[in-house]
Amino acid sequence: QVQLVESGGGLVRAGGSLRLSCAASGSSISRNGMGWYRQAPEKQREMVATITSGYSTNYADSVKGRFTISRDNAKNTVYLQMNSLKPEDTAVYYCNMKTPTWNRMYDYWGQGTQVTVSS
């Protein structure tokens, strides 16, 4: 059974940095696309960054140049380095793993980690 556990969230001042980690268990992530999504209060979940099994990355326009997604398949872990944080980055950040099924691409989700950026 696949489990994703996020860590590294917390409270930081605007302009500060945080590094989020997503530790996967129950399955190797080496062949899976991974990503980070976030959800602010009363807003819909949005994609922040994704990384394919081939290490291709994609970022939301709002975080380009500030956030970096990476993966360490040997450690079964995905990271999100967040620099120059803004109050608008405040949200619960969720780790995502995409797995093909017979019918569709299935999304596994972690429990989320809170990131709060104070002004």
Side-chain angles (χ1 to χ4, degrees):
Q1 189 165 4
V2 176
Q3 284 190 299
L4 305 174
V5 180
E6 302 96 333
S7 62
L11 173 63
V12 297
R13 284 188 159 89
S17 298
L18 281 175
R19 189 199 196 204
L20 306 184
S21 297
C22 171
S25 62
S27 180
S28 172
I29 68 168
S30 62
R31 292 187 174 89
N32 300 88
M34 306 292 294
W36 288 95
Y37 293 70
R38 68 187 181 188
Q39 187 164 24
E42 301 182 353
K43 292 189 64 179
Q44 292 191 353
R45 182 183 62 196
E46 65 174 345
M47 187 273 289
V48 176
T50 61
I51 184 166
T52 70
S53 60
Y55 298 92
S56 177
T57 59
N58 191 44
Y59 298 91
D61 288 342
S62 59
V63 308
K64 283 181 180 176
R66 300 188 297 122
F67 291 10
T68 303
I69 188 171
S70 61
R71 64 193 297 159
D72 187 336
N73 291 340
K75 295 181 178 179
N76 229 219
T77 301
V78 178
Y79 305 95
L80 185 68
Q81 179 66 48
M82 305 186 294
N83 298 326
S84 302
L85 283 162
K86 304 175 180 180
E88 307 93 272
D89 297 318
T90 295
V92 177
Y93 284 70
Y94 296 93
C95 181
N96 167 265
M97 180 178 77
K98 293 189 176 295
T99 301
T101 69
W102 68 273
N103 186 227
R104 63 182 176 91
M105 195 70 72
Y106 183 83
D107 290 295
Y108 286 95
W109 298 97
Q111 84 290 343
T113 185
Q114 177 71 48
V115 171
T116 303
V117 184
S118 63
S119 61

